[in-house]
Amino acid sequence: MVEPGVETGRASVELVAAYAFDHGPFTASEVMDETGLTRATVLNACDILADRGWIRELDDARAAGDYRRGRPARRYELAADTAFVVGLDVGQHRVAALVATLRGDVIGRAELPIVGGDEDPDLRLATARAVVEQATTQAGTTAGQVLVTAVGVPAPVDAHGRSPRGDHDYWARMNPDFATRLGPWGEVVLENDANLAASAERALGAVARESIAVLLAGVSFGAGLIVDGVLLHGGAGGAGELRVLGMVEGVGSSEGLDGAARSWLEEDRRTGRVPAASPLALTPVDALDVSHIVDAATRGDAYAEALVERLGERLGRVCVVLGSLLDVEEVVVAGGVARVASSVIAAAHRWLDQGVYAPTPLVRASELGADVVALGAITRAISTIRSQPWRFAAPITH
């Protein structure tokens, strides 16, 4: 197997690999024009990448109909269908997996609830393995064809894939050492789920600003923070953990929109403040989410309308915290709740527009849906490969 040497170092191989990931069929001359590398260096790097299965040589320019004069140029393309990546979202209550090509095209998906104890580490591992098995089977891929699996968990994650033993060991239960225990699906990369959501928004979403917070806002709040174009992690991976909301007046906990709505409904029922005529009077508390509240408010239920305004103020206060501390220009509400949160976001803007804490960030809903964390994991897995292609070999037969 050809290895990078003195003339063709790792940096050159990485530059040519990056070009292949970002373009369609290409010639050495095109890479030279963009990278400034010499022809010999580019061709040697192409040989290395072809030997490792990352690129394939195509018909030359004459055969492709592009040849005009002189010696026909060698043409290459990324071998995007020879190896695959998995993006895994292991949330508190559900697990979802996506399988994608090296260009990020999703070819398989699976999802399962965590049934019987969502904080049981062994159950979380077993469910994650089952979901990856289902997704790879649907995609028609084998474990040996998966080079990297990126996993998002609702906990801080350090550079070694570990979560600190804080928050009454909740974080450790959410991340029962997936990095070494998940299974045979390539190299396993761990990351906080909100950070992966932020990565997805930056790569695939409508982000046009350098400083944003991507807010997972379902059962609990968690933020992925991009400041001046840099994704923040912190020493133990805890940047964006929002336990501090328990100390913020008018918020009082890190419960997200669904979580707070359930707590409020339960308390209002206990104290007799839910009108019997409200459709929410009979909604099981454990099943309640923002969609139930928005639907009831749309039908004119006054109690639901008041909840929407209350949720909007809660979201607005969280945005003030993020905007004041980090000067983010935009807060993107992401995850499954985003598709139904438009009226809550409008209420947040009404509260923010009072001007008490101006200037405040723009608040909008993500367009990436419930798979935002898994999509971010796909992005992370591909970036892991393309940044160090010499560490991986695609599973092909020469």
Side-chain angles (χ1 to χ4, degrees):
M1 178 174 289
V2 182
E3 294 291 348
V6 174
E7 184 178 6
T8 306
R10 289 177 175 179
S12 300
V13 173
E14 290 167 8
L15 282 172
V16 177
Y19 188 95
F21 270 95
D22 291 337
H23 296 79
F26 63 91
T27 64
S29 295
E30 291 166 337
V31 179
M32 291 163 55
D33 289 341
E34 182 158 315
T35 64
L37 298 174
T38 66
R39 180 174 297 276
T41 298
V42 170
L43 290 175
N44 284 342
C46 286
D47 287 341
I48 292 168
L49 291 168
D51 189 60
R52 301 190 75 84
W54 291 123
I55 64 176
R56 61 169 66 96
E57 188 166 357
L58 304 174
D59 293 334
D60 62 29
R62 179 184 287 116
D66 294 332
Y67 170 66
R68 295 293 181 269
R69 298 179 61 185
R71 183 178 180 181
R74 295 167 67 182
R75 299 169 65 249
Y76 306 88
E77 71 174 359
L78 180 73
D81 55 354
T82 61
F84 304 90
V85 295
V86 171
L88 186 60
D89 174 12
V90 188
Q92 183 174 351
H93 305 295
R94 62 181 275 277
V95 181
L98 300 177
V99 181
T101 69
L102 296 180
R103 290 207 184 275
D105 299 320
V106 175
I107 59 173
R109 184 187 187 282
E111 177 179 344
L112 287 173
I114 302 175
V115 179
D118 51 33
E119 293 190 19
D120 181 329
D122 291 333
L123 180 60
R124 292 176 65 76
L125 272 166
T127 305
R129 290 167 180 154
V131 170
V132 177
E133 286 276 11
Q134 290 182 16
T136 51
T137 298
Q138 184 190 91
T141 62
T142 65
Q145 291 176 297
V146 176
L147 295 186
V148 176
T149 295
V151 185
V153 294
V157 177
D158 68 15
H160 305 287
R162 298 187 294 257
S163 296
R165 305 199 69 84
D167 205 13
H168 306 289
D169 279 346
Y170 171 80
W171 291 334
R173 292 193 295 274
M174 292 298 99
N175 176 19
D177 197 13
F178 282 109
T180 61
R181 299 178 64 193
L182 179 62
W185 297 285
E187 180 176 314
V188 178
V189 179
L190 266 288
E191 180 60 279
N192 170 261
D193 54 1
N195 285 349
L196 291 178
S199 296
E201 287 295 330
R202 180 164 56 179
L204 307 171
V207 172
R209 294 169 172 83
E210 287 294 296
S211 296
I212 67 167
V214 177
L215 191 64
L216 295 180
V219 176
S220 60
F221 283 124
L225 306 171
I226 298 176
V227 178
D228 297 332
V230 177
L231 179 66
L232 304 185
H233 283 89
E241 288 294 324
L242 295 177
R243 293 180 298 166
V244 69
L245 294 176
M247 303 175 68
V248 175
E249 182 180 357
V251 182
S253 75
S254 60
E255 286 182 317
L257 301 180
D258 288 340
R262 292 169 190 170
S263 295
W264 295 343
L265 180 62
E266 188 171 36
E267 175 64 17
D268 287 351
R269 283 180 178 175
R270 188 182 64 81
T271 57
R273 287 181 290 187
V274 182
S278 171
L280 300 178
L282 299 177
T283 304
V285 171
D286 290 344
L288 181 77
D289 59 29
V290 170
S291 67
H292 294 97
I293 298 169
V294 171
D295 287 345
T298 301
R299 294 196 298 270
D301 179 61
Y303 175 73
E305 290 172 350
L307 281 183
V308 167
E309 293 300 316
R310 191 176 177 187
L311 287 169
E313 179 179 339
R314 182 180 185 82
L315 176 59
R317 289 180 180 273
V318 174
C319 292
V320 166
V321 171
L322 295 171
S324 297
L325 287 176
L326 298 164
D327 195 23
V328 295
E329 304 164 272
E330 185 174 70
V331 174
V332 182
V333 178
V337 73
R339 65 180 176 83
V340 296
S342 58
S343 59
V344 175
I345 291 172
H349 275 134
R350 286 192 291 274
W351 186 83
L352 291 167
D353 287 345
Q354 296 174 25
V356 176
Y357 300 102
T360 54
L362 172 70
V363 189
R364 68 169 177 87
S366 169
E367 299 177 357
L368 297 182
D371 282 336
V372 63
V373 173
L375 288 169
I378 290 293
T379 298
R380 174 63 182 275
I382 292 173
S383 69
T384 299
I385 294 169
R386 65 178 288 167
S387 66
Q388 297 180 316
W390 39 269
R391 288 183 49 225
F392 301 91
I396 64 172
T397 300
H398 292 285

